[in-house]
């Protein structure tokens, strides 16, 4: 997603966007010529000059096209702002004064900036219209926490202003929340894609320039270019990064030289403020205040956890992110993230709003914050939902599924639908989307649809679909062909990823063979010791199902050795050995990671010695009840339960589920007004 990638920063300094002008103009050609010149003959010099002129003309045309595309996106975003305002205009102002005030403010702004043949985007001030605008926060409280329209309004304002990195950052934060209504989902991702494409084009040109110059030459060029475009955030950020590097500071690790960074950044505070306006999330890494830098890095770590969860996050995870963002001074974003957390829960509790008032006061002042709090506490505000947020998942899951994974499934199916609508049917992008679709439908117990999605993978990429075919077979219980599929796996992958072939053996009743697959992986030096300990434990559990106690005990001992120094896997070893059963699952982890650890702990406890069959089955059932279908222990428990009580756990015993016909979004006119699907609902204050 746009706005949250820092990789290119550490070479060149990209991460903010230019708002006007060109790096490839005659104004800077003298600097480039001076660098590329030298002792040459007259003809050689003429040839070089001709090539340089042609290259400059080509670069200038590319810059002009980039600027035209930027302006097209800005104009489009402004039209979306106006579409939101038209949707808001229907709301009774006596019940929604915040929304009504925003409508008036945008009407006034439109009269000032719209001309017959131009749009004066430079006069749009998103900060004053949103972050520091009491009416904006009143409007946000006048909508339900899960409704995305007010957040979308802010994103489109920043996009219209041309601050694409800031808009992309806000879009990424909104995407990390409840599933968006489909019209908003399509619009949000389309704008985000356009922002990413523009940033990639700009980065490619900047990176090529940086790689052709030394540090001092690059700084000289930047200084010269800033003589014409001093407020260009890309040039400003590049200047900061180059100066840090020349001082021996790694921009990727500002905490390693914290004092030196603070001293140097204090001398560049004005430059830093320019970057912070365009991309505050990135600028926080270089904040002159070391405490603010540290808080921002902690917030970045929380956000990284959400990304690593593959979309599996919940209310508590977002609340932790909100608190970390507030600690870093991102109060506006903290309020909105906290509201999205409430939206994921589905209802508001009195304690939710307490932190909002603390975070809003630095933005709009104590008096305005108190007025909002009074309106909220008195029941004067009755929030409106402009869209039916979310869409019921088709069919009834035949697997226990964690609510967070159910929410993720909805987001995934929406995104798959969007990607398939724009990808070529035989492309790699379409194949990846089909694999994601199959996995998601498999989690939901929609086996026929999952298999159909896999059948739609192009024949040239069929090999890549084999692992997912095996997973769908394991979840569905349709394992007649799983041995054939297992033989088609890449043999080199078995030692590094033993779970799938081992589970395939177990699904056919051969738990001992599955145990040996895990045991071999546990001895592979290609794997990290933590994973080797997991494989040894899993092998021990499989051997106990197969009745080979000696091998199980030996693998538990091996797991203890391999797990030394790895706290959580050592807890699991002790659980399986019957020691310290009730150890905590850990702190500062996501909700789904916590549920996964509970699943793991219950699974390995189920294979302690001297447990009654009823107790062992109860633990396996409680492992599956966590609903963390991504975890190997979940699937292993499911396979064993199908052997113990097939009429309850084997899907082949269940009545077939008939899903309602899904609306074919792809047949709709892609260019229709997205706000047409809005249907505001609210209650009148008493």
């Amino acid at each position: 997603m746009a706005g949250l990638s820092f990789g290119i920063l550490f070479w060149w300094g990209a991460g903010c966007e230019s708002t006007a002008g060109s790096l490839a103009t005659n104004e800077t050609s003298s600097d480039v010529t001076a660098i590329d010149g030298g002792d040459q003959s007259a003809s050689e010099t003429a040839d070089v000059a001709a090539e340089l002129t042609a290259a400059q003309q080509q670069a200038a045309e590319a810059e002009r096209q980039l600027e035209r595309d930027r302006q097209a996106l800005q104009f489009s975003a402004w039209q979306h702002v106006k579409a939101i305002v038209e949707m808001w205009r229907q709301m009774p102002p006596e019940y929604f004064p915040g929304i009504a005030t925003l409508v008036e403010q945008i009407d006034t702004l439109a009269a000032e900036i719209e001309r017959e043949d131009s749009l004066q985007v430079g006069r749009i001030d998103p900060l004053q219209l949103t972050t520091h605008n009491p009416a904006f926060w009143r409007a946000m409280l006048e909508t339900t926490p899960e409704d995305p329209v007010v957040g979308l309004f802010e994103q489109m304002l920043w996009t219209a202003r041309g601050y694409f990195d800031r808009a992309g950052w806000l879009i990424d934060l909104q995407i990390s929340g409840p599933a968006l209504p489909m019209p908003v989902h399509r619009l949000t991702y389309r704008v985000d894609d356009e922002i990413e494409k523009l940033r990639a084009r700009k980065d490619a040109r900047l990176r090529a320039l940086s790689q052709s110059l030394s540090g001092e030459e690059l700084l000289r060029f930047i200084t010269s270019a800033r003589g014409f475009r001093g407020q260009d955030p890309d040039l400003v950020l590049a200047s900061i990064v180059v100066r840090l590097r020349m001082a021996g500071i790694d921009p990727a690790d500002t905490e390693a030289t914290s004092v030196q960074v603070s001293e140097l950044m204090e001398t560049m505070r004005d430059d830093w403020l320019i970057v912070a306006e365009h991309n505050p999330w990135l600028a926080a890494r270089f904040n002159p205040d070391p405490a603010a830098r540290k808080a921002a890095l902690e917030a970045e770590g929380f956000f990284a956890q959400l990304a690593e969860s593959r979309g599996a996050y919940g209310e508590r995870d977002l609340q932790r992110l909100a608190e970390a963002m507030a600690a870093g001074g991102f109060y506006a974003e903290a309020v909105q993230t906290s509201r999205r957390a409430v939206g994921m829960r589905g209802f508001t509790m009195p304690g939710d709003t307490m932190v909002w008032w603390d975070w809003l006061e630095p933005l709009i002042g104590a008096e305005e914050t108190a007025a909002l709090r009074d309106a909220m506490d008195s029941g004067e505000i009755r929030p409106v939902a402009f869209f039916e947020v979310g869409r019921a998942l088709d069919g009834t899951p035949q697997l226990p599924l964690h609510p967070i994974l159910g929410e993720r499934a909805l987001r995934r199916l929406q995104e798959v639908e969007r990607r398939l609508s724009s990808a070529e049917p035989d492309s790699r992008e379409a194949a990846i989307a089909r694999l994601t679709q199959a996995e998601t439908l498999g989690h939901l117990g929609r086996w026929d649809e999952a298999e159909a999605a896999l059948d739609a993978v192009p024949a040239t990429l069929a090999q890549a679909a084999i692992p997912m075919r095996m997973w769908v077979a394991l979840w569905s219980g349709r394992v007649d062909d799983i041995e054939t599929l297992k033989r088609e796996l890449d043999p080199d992958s078995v030692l590094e990823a033993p779970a799938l072939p081992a589970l395939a053996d177990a699904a056919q009743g051969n738990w001992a063979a599955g145990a040996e697959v895990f045991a071999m992986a546990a001895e592979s030096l290609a794997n990290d010791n933590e994973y080797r300990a997991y494989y040894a434990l899993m092998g021990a559990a499989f051997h106990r199902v197969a009745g080979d106690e000696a091998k199980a005990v030996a693998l538990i001992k091996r797991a203890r050795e391999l797990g030394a120094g790895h706290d959580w896997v050592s807890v699991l070893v002790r659980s399986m050995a019957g020691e310290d059963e009730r150890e905590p699952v850990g702190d500062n982890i996501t909700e789904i990671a916590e549920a996964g650890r509970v699943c793991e702990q219950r699974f390995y406890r189920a294979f302690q010695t001297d447990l009654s069959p009823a107790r062992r089955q109860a633990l396996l059932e409680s492992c599956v009840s966590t609903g963390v279908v991504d975890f190997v222990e979940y699937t292993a428990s499911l396979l064993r339960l199908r052997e113990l009580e097939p009429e309850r756990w084997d899907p082949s015993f269940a009545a077939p589920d008939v899903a309602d016909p899904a609306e074919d979004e792809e047949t709709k006119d892609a260019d229709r007004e997205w706000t047409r699907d809005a249907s505001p609902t609210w209650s009148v204050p008493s």
Side-chain angles (χ1 to χ4, degrees), residues 367-386:
E367 185 176 344
E368 294 288 357
T369 301
L372 288 180
R373 182 173 185 174
D374 289 344
M376 193 79 172
D377 291 345
S378 67
E380 177 184 331
I381 294 176
R382 287 291 186 270
V384 60
F386 286 93

Side-chain angles (χ1 to χ4, degrees), residues 22-36:
S22 168
L23 282 174
T25 64
N26 291 331
E27 296 163 344
T28 60
S29 62
S30 60
D31 295 310
V32 179
T33 304
I35 294 167
D36 291 340

Side-chain angles (χ1 to χ4, degrees), residues 244-265:
L244 287 172
R245 285 199 176 280
M246 292 178 68
I249 298 171
D250 182 1
D253 187 13
T254 53
E255 288 305 288
T257 51
S258 181
V259 175
Q260 191 179 1
V261 170
S262 295
E263 292 174 351
L264 185 57
M265 289 309 304

Side-chain angles (χ1 to χ4, degrees), residues 108-138:
T108 301
L109 178 62
E112 295 175 356
I113 70 173
E114 291 182 342
R115 298 293 183 266
E116 184 175 346
D117 59 350
S118 65
L119 183 66
Q120 298 180 11
V121 295
R123 299 180 66 178
I124 300 174
D125 189 342
L127 274 179
Q128 293 306 314
L129 285 167
T130 59
T131 302
H132 300 304
N133 185 4
F136 173 79
W137 295 108
R138 171 75 188 228

Side-chain angles (χ1 to χ4, degrees), residues 83-160:
I84 292 171
V85 167
E86 289 307 311
M87 183 171 59
W88 282 347
R89 205 181 298 278
Q90 65 184 295
M91 307 308 297
E94 63 272 23
Y95 297 142
F96 300 97
I99 289 174
T101 301
L102 280 183
V103 170
E104 293 174 0
Q105 291 172 345
I106 295 300
D107 285 345
T108 301
L109 178 62
E112 295 175 356
I113 70 173
E114 291 182 342
R115 298 293 183 266
E116 184 175 346
D117 59 350
S118 65
L119 183 66
Q120 298 180 11
V121 295
R123 299 180 66 178
I124 300 174
D125 189 342
L127 274 179
Q128 293 306 314
L129 285 167
T130 59
T131 302
H132 300 304
N133 185 4
F136 173 79
W137 295 108
R138 171 75 188 228
M140 183 161 287
L141 295 175
E142 289 171 354
T143 59
T144 58
E146 65 272 19
D147 191 273
V149 175
V150 177
L152 182 65
F153 170 78
E154 180 183 26
Q155 295 152 24
M156 293 303 107
L157 277 175
W158 282 109
T159 305

Side-chain angles (χ1 to χ4, degrees), residues 38 102 139 171 174 210 229 236 263 289 450 461 554 563 609 611 652 675:
L102 280 183
I171 287 173
Q174 175 151 294
S210 70
R229 295 158 52 200
V236 174
E263 292 174 351
D289 181 355
L461 298 168
T609 56
L611 282 185
S652 64
T675 56

